């Protein structure tokens, strides 16, 4: 975790997320007095824009998506491996890459929520904020964070597979938008392939709606495992 916080990319990613979130606010609808709970409604609208969908595969790979390339080409990897067990290295790096995709979005989302509360809540009429609205906003942010983690692990896979910065940073974006194109142009009914639906959560995901969480969880676990297996193969030669 400390290694991750020292990465310059994570702070750049947080700032980029905040800019995109703020630009997504419906400023033209901010006419006081606002109805109670409007700040949460605007918060969800800002997080549900196409701009946010566009930036997820970019900001999530910036912090440490290509960390294996950086360490292997810089000669640091041999020194690192001589100090810790290979399995421990794999455990740390796969977790670091996944968290590197989650933390920028999570941190920016929390800061943005606090900003919405501070600047919009005073403009609202007196009233109670529903628990369902709070939960809905929190779950939206959580889904976006999990998508970021998936994109980051994809970057880690390409970094381990090709040992190239361009592949590590570029291929998650290509894969991400390939899914968008397939859904929008060729398989419009296949919403389970659509990253926008993973965040929006508007279609049918089972009687209790848990299907989206199972899918995001299994995708995360599968990519985490593939990333770890590729690192294990690469470390045999170190």
């Amino acid at each position: 975790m400390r290694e991750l916080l020292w990465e310059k990319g994570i702070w750049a990613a947080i700032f980029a997320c905040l800019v995109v979130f703020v630009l997504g606010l419906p400023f033209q609808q901010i006419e006081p007095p606002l109805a109670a709970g409007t700040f949460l409604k605007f918060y969800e609208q800002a997080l549900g824009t196409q701009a946010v969908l566009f930036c997820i595969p970019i900001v999530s790979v910036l912090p440490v998506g290509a960390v294996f390339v950086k360490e292997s080409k810089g000669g640091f990897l041999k020194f690192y491996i001589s100090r810790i067990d290979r399995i421990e290295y794999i455990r740390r790096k796969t977790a670091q890459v996944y968290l590197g995709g989650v933390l920028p979005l999570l941190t920016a989302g929390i800061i943005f929520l606090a900003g919405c509360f501070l600047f919009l809540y005073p403009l609202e009429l007196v009233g109670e904020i529903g628990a369902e609205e709070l939960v809905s906003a929190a779950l939206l942010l959580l889904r976006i964070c999990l998508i970021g983690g998936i994109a980051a692990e994809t970057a880690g896979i390409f970094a381990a597979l090709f040992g190239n910065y361009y592949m590590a940073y570029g291929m998650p974006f290509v894969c991400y938008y390939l899914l968008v194109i397939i859904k929008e142009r060729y398989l419009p009914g296949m919403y389970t392939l659509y990253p926008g639906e993973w965040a929006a959560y508007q279609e049918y995901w089972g009687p209790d709606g848990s299907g989206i969480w199972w899918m995001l969880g299994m995708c995360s676990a599968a990519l985490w495992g593939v990333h770890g297996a590729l690192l294990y193969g690469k470390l045999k030669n170190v």
Side-chain angles (χ1 to χ4, degrees):
M1 179 65 76
R2 283 180 293 181
E3 293 178 13
L4 186 58
L5 294 177
W6 282 107
E7 291 287 340
K8 294 180 181 179
I10 195 168
W11 302 108
I14 291 171
F15 178 76
C17 287
L18 282 171
V19 171
V20 174
F21 292 165
V22 171
L23 292 177
L25 274 173
F27 290 101
Q28 70 280 4
Q29 298 179 29
I30 303 176
E31 298 180 359
L34 302 173
T38 299
F39 80 95
L40 288 173
K41 175 185 174 183
F42 287 173
Y43 177 80
E44 291 196 44
Q45 286 184 22
L47 264 62
T49 62
Q50 288 295 315
V52 172
L53 182 67
F54 177 84
C55 85
I56 291 175
I58 299 174
V59 299
S60 59
V61 305
L62 280 178
V64 287
V67 65
F68 181 75
V69 180
K70 177 183 177 181
E71 293 181 351
S72 60
K73 289 192 173 181
F76 180 70
L77 184 59
K78 290 183 179 180
F79 172 74
Y80 202 164
I81 290 298
S82 67
R83 295 172 63 89
I84 64 170
D85 181 74
R86 282 175 168 76
I87 299 300
E88 178 63 17
Y89 175 84
I90 293 170
R91 185 187 68 81
R92 288 186 183 184
K93 291 304 165 182
T94 51
Q96 184 184 16
V97 169
Y98 192 87
L99 288 175
V102 169
L103 284 179
L105 293 160
L106 179 62
T107 305
I110 292 172
I111 294 172
F112 182 57
L113 179 59
C116 287
F117 178 79
L118 289 173
F119 291 102
L120 297 178
Y121 184 71
L123 305 179
E124 297 182 6
L125 296 170
V126 177
E128 293 185 359
I129 301 173
E132 291 184 3
E133 295 171 321
L134 283 169
V135 170
S136 176
L139 292 180
L140 171 59
L141 178 59
L142 178 57
R143 290 192 297 272
I144 289 173
C145 290
L146 292 176
I147 297 169
I150 289 170
E153 283 296 339
T154 305
I157 288 171
F158 281 105
L161 198 58
F162 295 101
N164 183 282
Y165 284 107
Y166 297 106
M167 296 297 288
Y169 289 129
M171 285 308 294
F173 182 86
V174 172
C175 294
Y176 189 89
Y177 272 90
L178 182 61
L179 294 177
V180 174
I181 292 170
I182 289 174
K183 190 270 179 185
E184 292 188 346
R185 295 190 180 181
Y186 304 107
L187 298 171
M190 193 63 71
Y191 57 85
T192 54
L193 294 177
Y194 186 46
E197 169 58 21
W198 300 349
Y201 185 52
Q202 295 175 342
E203 302 291 345
Y204 180 74
W205 289 93
D208 58 355
S210 63
I212 183 67
W213 303 108
W214 281 104
M215 192 207 69
L216 291 174
M218 288 189 292
C219 282
S220 297
L223 292 173
W224 201 316
V226 171
H227 186 196
L230 288 171
L231 288 180
Y232 185 81
K234 292 289 184 178
L235 293 177
K236 286 183 178 180
N237 301 321
V238 176

